[in-house]
């Protein structure tokens, strides 16, 4: 018996090329009628399968983030290997990952969507999530870390996202503490981590990453607090979202295991090299409102150290920092 996924497999293996109905029937050991029914199911599920009586069928390349497209080229050991949840549309991948984590799904569970109807950003903001242009992915972590070390995970994520863009696409991606990712002072990715604690400390953490990939600049809403960009806008070509996701999951897993193995220093050093705030004047949140100082270092917990005018060092443990220098491009966030 054949299933739609079997037809999809044959079509994907021959992506872009026509396969005659006879060839499909032979490789699936199915009748022409069954093949036609299965192709129709795929078309109704949104796959762009072209059919032509003389030539047969072919799959139009769509760069969807389906498990069939992503997992074959995935080089991770755990992340996305066992549990990969894919949605054409969802409210928020973080919401779904939080539900799955509460149900007991393991570390490395990945939730991906082509579009989000209620994508969430930090501080109650929304995340612009148009279909098929970006990557909207959430990962479940179950680290055995004391609460005070959670910011270390933040740096892990920031480094993994930035180095994905740096190593795979030669883009000068930089981390704006704690983990916004900027290219030439424009935001290309944002991270929302949500920690759930139990009686024993951290129960699980869901980290959601939104990456702008093939978005034309003019499509972004005007009211974004930080000037946005996308990989396509920076490289002037469209790139494979499948490849970006595979690379991202690989870097995330590598850096996360580096943290668990006790080498936070290696991550910290890379994080400092990739930081866009160190050495710059920043505004940062305090209990009494915004204060100004110079970002001088990131400490062993992943906190930002800021020196005020009197030379006193303040540890910024949460919230956001705002670059003030005009040489930074006037980042408005
Ligand atoms: C920010 O910069 O404010 C954080 C943005 C985080 C967006 C991602 S997209 C995938 C995941 N699902 C969500 O609802 N939000 C995160």
């Amino acid at each position: 018996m054949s299933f739609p996924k079997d037809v999809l497999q044959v079509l994907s293996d021959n992506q872009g090329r026509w396969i005659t109905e006879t060839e499909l029937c032979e490789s699936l050991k199915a009748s022409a009628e069954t093949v036609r029914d299965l192709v129709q199911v795929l078309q109704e599920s949104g796959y762009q399968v072209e059919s032509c009586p003389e030539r047969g069928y072919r799959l139009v390349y769509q760069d969807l983030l389906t498990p069939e497209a992503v997992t074959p080229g995935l080089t991770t050991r755990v992340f996305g290997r066992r549990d990969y949840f894919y949605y054409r549309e969802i409210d928020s991948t973080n919401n779904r990952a939080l539900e799955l984590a509460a149900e007991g799904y393991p570390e490395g569970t990945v939730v991906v969507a082509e579009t989000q109807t209620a994508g969430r950003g930090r501080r109650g903001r929304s995340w612009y999530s148009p279909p098929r242009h970006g990557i909207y992915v959430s990962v479940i972590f179950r680290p055995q870390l004391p609460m005070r070390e959670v910011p270390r995970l933040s740096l892990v994520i920031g480094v993994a996202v930035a180095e994905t863009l740096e190593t795979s696409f030669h883009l000068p991606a930089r981390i704006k503490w704690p983990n916004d990712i900027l290219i030439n002072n424009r935001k290309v990715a944002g991270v929302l981590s949500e920690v759930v604690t139990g009686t024993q400390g951290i129960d699980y953490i869901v980290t959601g990453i939104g990456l702008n990939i093939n978005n034309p600049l003019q499509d972004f809403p005007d009211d974004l607090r930080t000037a946005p960009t996308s990989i396509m806008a920076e490289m002037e070509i469209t790139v494979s979202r499948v490849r970006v996701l595979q690379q991202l999951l690989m870097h995330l897993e590598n850096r996360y295991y580096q943290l668990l193995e006790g080498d936070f220093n290696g991550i910290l050093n890379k994080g400092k090299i990739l930081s866009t705030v160190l050495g710059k004047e920043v505004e940062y949140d305090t209990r009494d409102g915004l204060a100004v100082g110079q970002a001088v270092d990131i400490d062993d917990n992943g906190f930002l150290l800021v020196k005020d005018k009197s030379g006193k060092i303040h540890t910024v443990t949460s919230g956001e920092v705002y670059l003030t220098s005009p040489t930074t491009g006037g980042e408005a966030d």
Side-chain angles (χ1 to χ4, degrees):
M1 182 153 158
S2 299
F3 298 94
K5 71 172 175 47
D6 302 320
V7 181
L8 188 63
Q9 188 64 57
V10 180
L11 292 173
S12 310
D13 290 346
N14 291 278
Q15 209 157 52
R17 275 191 290 124
W18 289 96
I19 307 172
T20 63
E21 194 166 80
T22 317
E23 283 174 312
L24 255 183
C25 292
E26 274 167 14
S27 62
L28 296 170
K29 303 208 177 3
S31 68
E33 199 185 352
T34 306
V35 163
R36 273 175 231 145
D37 287 347
L38 294 174
V39 166
Q40 194 179 344
V41 174
L42 286 179
Q43 288 167 329
E44 284 167 4
S45 329
Y47 289 95
Q48 227 176 312
V49 182
E50 288 182 336
S51 69
C52 163
E54 296 83 44
R55 308 175 85 177
Y57 301 97
R58 77 169 172 184
L59 182 66
V60 177
Y61 182 58
Q62 278 194 295
D63 197 25
L64 294 179
L65 301 173
T66 56
E68 294 81 9
V70 174
T71 42
L74 201 55
T75 55
T76 55
R77 277 179 289 155
V78 177
F79 285 26
R81 285 246 160 244
R82 207 191 91 170
D83 298 292
Y84 183 100
F85 288 82
Y86 169 77
Y87 299 91
R88 292 212 153 230
E89 180 181 294
I90 201 166
D91 57 350
S92 149
T93 55
N94 261 36
N95 291 355
R96 185 69 189 119
L98 284 166
E99 285 169 7
L100 292 167
E103 285 170 27
Y105 274 84
E107 179 156 274
T109 298
V110 166
V111 181
V112 176
E114 297 294 347
T115 182
Q116 301 184 114
T117 53
R120 296 191 284 114
R122 284 205 310 274
R123 308 191 138 208
R125 294 178 202 136
S126 57
W127 185 257
Y128 174 63
S129 314
R132 296 191 210 113
H133 280 159
I135 287 178
Y136 319 108
V137 57
S138 300
V139 180
I140 297 176
F141 294 93
R142 295 186 181 275
Q144 311 251 308
L145 291 177
M147 268 307 275
R148 66 171 190 287
E149 289 186 12
V150 169
R152 290 183 168 192
L153 183 64
S154 241
L155 201 63
V156 164
I157 311 295
V159 166
V161 178
E163 71 189 349
T164 299
L165 302 178
E166 199 184 37
T167 55
S168 303
F169 300 98
H170 306 286
L171 288 167
R174 296 289 173 266
I175 305 168
K176 186 181 80 109
W177 190 92
N179 47 20
D180 277 354
I181 308 300
L182 310 183
I183 299 175
N184 300 324
N185 299 307
R186 290 173 156 262
K187 183 160 165 174
V188 69
V191 180
L192 174 66
S193 287
E194 301 184 276
V195 185
V196 174
T197 51
T199 46
Q200 311 289 323
I202 298 170
D203 213 350
Y204 48 87
I205 300 178
V206 162
T207 293
I209 302 167
L211 243 170
N212 302 328
I213 312 278
N214 291 324
N215 312 67
L217 279 188
Q218 65 271 18
D219 281 9
F220 285 104
D222 298 330
D223 57 352
L224 295 181
R225 293 173 64 93
T226 310
T229 191
S230 67
I231 299 185
M232 184 180 85
E234 297 299 323
M235 296 182 66
E236 297 182 359
I237 48 166
T238 53
V239 297
S240 156
R241 291 183 315 141
V242 168
R243 183 167 140 68
V244 179
L245 183 56
Q246 290 165 338
Q247 295 290 306
L248 174 65
L249 292 174
M250 187 223 10
H251 285 289
L252 271 178
E253 183 179 280
N254 288 347
R255 288 297 183 180
Y256 178 62
Y257 287 146
Q258 187 181 359
L259 174 75
L260 296 191
E261 282 156 16
D263 181 20
F264 178 64
N265 253 338
I267 298 159
L268 184 58
N269 290 340
K270 183 73 179 170
K272 288 182 189 178
I273 292 168
L274 291 173
S275 169
T276 189
V277 297
L278 290 184
K280 303 225 175 96
E281 189 180 84
V282 293
E283 286 184 333
Y284 58 100
D285 289 320
T286 70
R287 254 179 278 150
D288 309 318
L290 282 179
V292 181
Q294 193 192 19
V296 286
D297 205 357
I298 300 172
D299 75 7
D300 283 348
N301 291 314
F303 297 143
L304 187 68
L305 302 182
V306 179
K307 188 161 76 174
D308 70 18
K309 282 209 175 74
S310 71
K312 190 171 168 226
I313 303 287
H314 300 262
T315 305
V316 185
T317 57
S318 65
E320 306 217 358
V321 294
Y322 311 89
L323 290 159
T324 59
S325 157
T327 55
T328 64
E331 228 254 314
D333 203 351

